[in-house]
Amino acid sequence: MAVFVFFFLAVTVLGFLAARWRQAEQSANLDEWGLGGRSFGTWITWFLLGGDLYTAYTFVAVPAAIYAAGASGFFAVPYTILVYPLIFTFLPRLWSVSHKHGYVTTSDFVRGRFGSKGLSLAVALTGILATMPYIALQLVGIQAVLDVMGIGGGEHTNWFVKDLPLLIAFAVLAAYTYSSGLRAPALIAFVKDGLIYLVIGVAIVYIPIKLGGFDAVFQSAHQALAQTGPTGKLRGELTSGPNAQWAYATLALGSALALFMYPHSITATLSSRSRNVIRRNTTILPLYSLMLGLLALLGFMAIKAGTDIKGNPQLAIPQLFADMFPSWFAGVAFAAIGIGALVPAAIMSIAAANLFTRNVYKDFLRPGATPEQEHRVAKLVSLLVKVGALAFVLTMDKTVAINFQLLGGIWVLQTMPALVGGLFTRWFHRWALLAGWAVGMLYGTLAAYGVASPTQKHFGGSSAEIPGIGQIGYIGLTAFVLNVVVAVVLTFALRAFKAPEGTDETSPDDYTADLGDEGVTADLPPATAGAPAGH
């Protein structure tokens, strides 16, 4: 407890001190609060993106999936490898055009590229909708740690007393995010990632030694997963069988395509100071994938250790740490998970606030909003987003939060044709993209609604039969294919009828511009005038 509280207090202090870190003279604008002044270099961006993408939920849920079902949970490893060659092709282009025109969100770019506020609003609302349960799941990760630590009492304790530690943690998070913006999670990410690398490095050596070696770990996992459950089906597989390969491959590919469609991923990307920073990060971020592969093995170790999960697989890793480590190092491990929730939750709430402020408030409610008004609204919305996520977790079943996050991945993937397609071509018609988005959202939601599990009638998973193929696959990828087909067909039709295409405010040179290029900062709006030297 003492170690956990020490690290929590340390990152709280860092969060508030971050308000003074690299602060510009004119800081009351979204570029400063929501993007850290667009000034972060390679290593800060690396830690920020790592803290953003590898969350407490990753730390808890990936090995929990391995613990519960075996090989299928390893899909997270290939998808985080697939994602980096993909983003190498389009993120530098997004960075360049966003810095050239002062875009803060992906919806800003979509509006500027296609001249469509309707398409921009669809992308913004999808991003906000997909982000909310993702923030809630960071709370699930913290709750798993608090449950294992015994903080807050048992199930029959007064709800306020039971949830008080969680309320305190997110009150502190809300306060320093409001005060420091993106600089707070950027600074705290150094502590978070350092702790996680330390804990995984120790766990992957220390725990197998205590359990008799990896031979014993894998043998025990093989025997446990080969047992049949109450439904008469095997619990899981140590290695992926032929019947699971379509589901495994489509889930990995679809997740890779969706990861950098999430607003928080783009927010961290646009905070960097040059396109070369982005290119370098796509080459060094796979180091986290190595860590993730080692982390996943902890699920097998929990099986061998006979970890008591109390009916909740999400407790497998925190409980394993409590059982295996000396109490002081268990405190370090719990602090890594707890801080691993605070960093991405802060970035996600900032990203959602940026989307609402720029693409709902400014585009539709107050077109003449000043940079100071945008800044004030974004800070308030970031608080509301966190309160909403907290209410979501405290009032709903945790499995509902998990299933909504799976649905969020299906939804956010449907913004890819407008975003990535728009970065390379203006061929798609804006109305066709909007129709494709609507078809993908509708199919994905209905297909996910029809998936049952042993505990739920609806939203029981993210895989269903692929129409025309007959194999089980990731719903998000099927919806994405339908989305693209509709967008292509309707683009041909709308062009044939010469439907108005909207105004493209970008030019080809904008997509390759860098800091040294003449005019890169000349066209930026007044909101960026106070950016630090080097912007």
Side-chain angles (χ1 to χ4, degrees):
M1 177 72 75
V3 173
F4 180 85
V5 170
F6 168 79
F7 280 110
F8 185 82
L9 291 177
V11 299
T12 299
V13 172
L14 276 178
F16 285 108
L17 290 178
R20 302 174 180 271
W21 179 44
R22 298 186 172 195
Q23 188 178 33
E25 291 182 5
Q26 299 178 14
S27 58
N29 58 64
L30 276 189
D31 262 33
E32 287 299 320
W33 183 84
L35 293 179
R38 306 187 193 240
S39 63
F40 297 149
T42 300
W43 287 110
I44 296 175
T45 303
W46 185 67
F47 279 107
L48 184 62
L49 278 169
D52 193 8
L53 304 176
Y54 298 89
T55 67
Y57 183 63
T58 305
F59 207 112
V60 169
V62 171
I66 304 294
Y67 175 89
S72 60
F74 275 103
F75 85 94
V77 179
Y79 110 62
T80 57
I81 295 169
L82 285 170
V83 71
Y84 298 114
L86 290 171
I87 64 175
F88 187 86
T89 63
F90 73 84
L91 276 192
R93 294 177 67 84
L94 179 62
W95 182 93
S96 291
V97 72
S98 297
H99 276 238
K100 180 74 175 181
H101 291 274
Y103 298 146
V104 174
T105 68
T106 53
S107 294
D108 283 350
F109 164 71
V110 169
R111 184 194 62 235
R113 179 62 153 160
F114 295 101
S116 173
K117 286 187 177 181
L119 183 59
S120 169
L121 179 65
V123 172
L125 293 180
T126 304
I128 295 170
L129 193 64
T131 300
M132 288 294 291
Y134 216 153
I135 300 173
L137 285 183
Q138 307 315 310
L139 292 168
V140 172
I142 292 183
Q143 276 195 325
V145 169
L146 296 178
D147 286 348
V148 172
M149 292 178 69
I151 299 176
E155 288 297 322
H156 301 293
T157 307
N158 176 278
W159 72 268
F160 180 77
V161 174
K162 184 177 188 302
D163 294 319
L164 184 60
L166 193 62
L167 294 171
I168 294 171
F170 263 69
V172 171
L173 167 68
Y176 67 61
T177 304
Y178 184 90
S179 169
S180 305
L182 194 65
R183 286 178 171 83
L187 201 56
I188 295 170
F190 285 91
V191 179
K192 173 252 186 188
D193 290 352
L195 286 176
I196 285 182
Y197 271 106
L198 173 65
V199 170
I200 298 302
V202 171
I204 205 69
V205 174
Y206 178 78
I207 295 178
I209 290 174
K210 291 196 69 175
L211 295 176
F214 275 104
D215 279 353
V217 169
F218 285 122
Q219 183 177 3
S220 178
H222 176 66
Q223 293 172 351
L225 293 169
Q227 295 176 358
T228 56
T231 61
K233 296 182 179 180
L234 293 179
R235 172 177 167 182
E237 298 174 302
L238 188 66
T239 57
S240 185
N243 293 333
Q245 288 175 4
W246 270 87
Y248 186 93
T250 55
L251 182 57
L253 178 58
S255 299
L257 294 174
L259 184 60
F260 273 80
M261 298 302 104
Y262 278 105
H264 57 279
S265 304
I266 300 301
T267 295
T269 300
L270 296 184
S271 69
S272 59
R273 67 175 175 226
S274 76
R275 64 185 274 126
N276 280 334
V277 167
I278 303 304
R279 294 160 70 91
R280 289 189 204 105
N281 266 276
T282 60
T283 63
I284 59 178
L285 275 168
L287 286 172
Y288 281 97
S289 299
L290 174 63
M291 178 199 71
L292 186 62
L294 299 176
L295 171 65
L297 293 176
L298 296 176
F300 289 151
M301 297 178 201
I303 294 175
K304 169 61 178 173
T307 303
D308 180 11
I309 62 169
K310 303 178 179 67
N312 180 7
Q314 308 300 322
L315 299 180
I317 300 314
Q319 190 63 55
L320 176 69
F321 289 161
D323 295 343
M324 293 285 111
F325 288 144
S327 60
W328 67 271
F329 195 76
V332 174
F334 292 158
I337 300 175
I339 298 169
L342 297 180
V343 171
I347 304 170
M348 290 170 191
S349 64
I350 290 169
N354 289 346
L355 279 170
F356 177 85
T357 302
R358 288 298 288 259
N359 308 115
V360 179
Y361 174 74
K362 185 172 183 179
D363 278 353
F364 293 94
L365 302 179
R366 192 159 188 175
T370 65
E372 291 78 12
Q373 288 170 332
E374 289 183 31
H375 173 245
R376 186 165 57 251
V377 169
K379 292 173 74 172
L380 290 173
V381 171
S382 76
L383 295 179
L384 294 175
V385 167
K386 282 188 278 287
V387 170
L390 189 61
F392 189 88
V393 166
L394 295 182
T395 59
M396 299 186 76
D397 186 349
K398 304 302 179 292
T399 57
V400 174
I402 293 168
N403 289 329
F404 270 111
Q405 196 276 327
L406 293 173
L407 196 57
I410 295 170
W411 287 336
V412 82
L413 182 53
Q414 308 316 311
T415 65
M416 189 176 187
L419 175 58
V420 179
L423 287 170
F424 291 94
T425 179
R426 187 61 166 70
W427 181 81
F428 287 104
H429 195 283
R430 53 182 179 166
W431 295 346
L433 287 170
L434 190 57
W437 166 85
V439 168
M441 291 285 285
L442 183 63
Y443 172 83
T445 305
L446 291 177
Y449 179 82
V451 177
S453 72
T455 57
Q456 289 182 242
K457 290 183 178 180
H458 305 292
F459 298 120
S462 58
S463 295
E465 185 174 308
I466 304 171
I469 296 178
Q471 298 284 347
I472 300 297
Y474 178 47
I475 293 169
L477 195 59
T478 307
F480 171 73
V481 171
L482 290 174
N483 181 344
V484 173
V485 169
V486 170
V488 169
V489 171
L490 284 183
T491 295
F492 277 116
L494 290 166
R495 286 187 177 279
F497 286 102
K498 301 186 183 304
E501 297 189 18
T503 303
D504 180 5
E505 68 181 28
T506 70
S507 65
D509 290 342
D510 296 345
Y511 295 88
T512 55
D514 207 345
L515 283 177
D517 296 347
E518 185 178 353
V520 170
T521 58
D523 296 332
L524 290 175
T528 61
H535 180 276

